[in-house]
Amino acid sequence: MDLAFLKTLYQRPGPYASVYADLTRTTEDASKAAELRWRALRADLEAQSAPRSTLSAIEQTIDEELALRHSEGLVLFAADGEVVHSERLPGPPRTPQARVAPLPHVLPYLAERGERFPHLVAVVDRRGGAIDCVTSGGEHRHIDVQGDEDYPIRKTKAGDWNQSRFQRSSENVWKANAKKVAHEIDRAAERCGAEAVVIAGDTRARTAVLDEVSEHVLEHTVESDRNIHVGDPDLEAELSRILKLKHAERVMAVAERFDRELANGQRAVAGLPATVAAVRNGQVETLLLDDDPDS
């Protein structure tokens, strides 16, 4: 997991207040229950001598989130009277808690967040395409690509006058539009660092685009074999399946490498003392943590 997005968290002198709030509202008195759960966390922060200005900033953020009713859970980190980082969770946190410490308590957040793979989805047709790319930090960008050519976009029916000339012209239009879409896919994939690329849409257009994208993009590309459109639930399901596979592949690769290096006894260590020593010596490339709230 790339933790670069956490850098801004550590630019304050502290102390930090870390809050994992359960905002679930599933019953008639849900709003009152969610508010009571927050009051309990607030009391925990007060008991740990959280600075008044920091506590006020957290309370304002929680109150706004309760009013908006947009999430089932919220994680936030605050310091020096300001909420430095916050993120909505798809569900309640596994362990609601509030902590005041010299540094932010990020491990539960990383476990809740999971690893996010930068990815790109392109839905193409013979006139152009729609591209959506998402970075590892969750930033989303949408790009609509309009082909430079749109006539003639369809081949003529058999027997039409001058049929072969129009058919050749249609093929040229498709190729020109596909080349433009492929160029934009290459640029977008590079910008967001896409590790997974899904290309869907018109069958002939997909083939033409795949012929034009770079080898690097092609290595990460999965072609959807159905003519689906932007917003189609099947496309979302396909993307979710691919990202889960990517995550599983990465976990297995890292675990296998760790086991191999640990057996060799040179490039891997296990256990707290040996790990702390490696961190102090600046010798850590990858750190594996037990995903256990009590760990």
Side-chain angles (χ1 to χ4, degrees):
M1 182 185 295
D2 182 359
L3 303 181
F5 70 96
L6 289 177
K7 281 185 177 179
T8 55
L9 260 184
Y10 296 89
Q11 294 174 354
R12 304 297 179 100
Y16 286 81
S18 305
V19 177
Y20 294 80
D22 180 357
L23 306 181
T24 307
R25 294 173 289 272
T26 56
T27 61
E28 291 183 2
D29 62 344
S31 295
K32 185 63 175 178
E35 184 177 344
L36 289 174
R37 288 193 295 270
W38 154 238
R39 295 300 169 194
L41 293 177
R42 190 184 193 284
D44 288 344
L45 292 173
E46 289 178 330
Q48 297 173 66
S49 302
R52 187 179 299 275
S53 59
T54 298
L55 194 56
S56 177
I58 294 172
E59 186 160 39
Q60 181 179 347
T61 301
I62 294 287
D63 287 345
E64 290 174 355
E65 193 67 20
L66 286 171
L68 290 172
R69 305 173 66 90
H70 279 175
S71 64
E72 299 299 307
L74 184 72
V75 55
L76 60 84
F77 306 99
D80 195 24
E82 184 179 349
V83 173
V84 183
H85 182 86
S86 67
E87 185 169 330
R88 291 169 179 157
L89 302 173
R94 286 183 288 181
T95 307
Q97 59 182 296
R99 179 181 296 189
V100 179
L103 294 173
H105 183 42
V106 300
L107 289 183
Y109 167 52
L110 297 178
E112 296 274 1
R113 183 181 188 270
E115 185 161 17
R116 295 178 179 176
F117 281 87
H119 59 274
L120 181 149
V121 179
V123 180
V124 301
D125 59 30
R126 302 180 194 188
R127 290 181 171 86
I131 301 170
D132 288 275
C133 52
V134 180
T135 68
S136 58
E139 298 173 7
H140 176 271
R141 184 179 182 188
H142 177 81
I143 304 166
D144 286 314
V145 184
Q146 297 295 327
D148 294 327
E149 303 286 348
D150 59 9
Y151 178 84
I153 204 68
R154 297 181 183 276
K155 290 185 177 181
T156 58
K157 295 180 180 179
D160 283 356
W161 176 80
N162 218 0
Q163 177 188 1
S164 62
R165 182 172 68 85
F166 275 98
Q167 286 181 337
R168 286 195 301 272
S169 184
S170 293
E171 293 281 0
N172 291 337
V173 168
W174 299 348
K175 289 179 180 179
N177 291 345
K179 190 170 185 177
K180 184 174 182 180
V181 173
H183 177 66
E184 290 297 332
I185 289 174
D186 285 344
R187 291 178 59 193
E190 182 179 1
R191 281 197 299 266
C192 75
E195 297 180 28
V197 176
V198 179
I199 297 182
D202 178 84
T203 304
R204 294 291 298 274
R206 291 199 315 261
T207 301
V209 168
L210 288 170
D211 286 341
E212 296 290 344
V213 295
S214 67
E215 287 294 327
H216 176 73
V217 167
L218 200 58
E219 289 174 1
H220 296 84
T221 295
V222 175
E223 182 181 5
S224 175
D225 60 359
R226 288 171 293 180
N227 187 0
I228 50 185
H229 54 81
V230 175
D232 193 310
D234 288 340
L235 181 57
E236 295 297 322
E238 178 75 357
L239 177 61
S240 178
R241 182 187 68 83
I242 291 168
L243 294 180
K244 285 179 180 178
L245 284 174
K246 287 283 186 181
H247 179 264
E249 288 173 1
R250 172 154 315 169
V251 169
M252 290 182 65
V254 172
E256 288 174 358
R257 182 184 176 197
F258 174 73
D259 289 339
R260 184 172 62 251
E261 299 291 359
L262 190 62
N264 292 336
Q266 294 181 343
R267 295 172 56 85
V269 296
L272 187 59
T275 301
V276 169
V279 171
R280 283 176 173 164
N281 293 332
Q283 295 175 310
V284 176
E285 177 188 294
T286 302
L287 177 65
L288 307 182
L289 298 169
D290 186 8
D291 181 13
D292 181 351
D294 295 327
S295 174

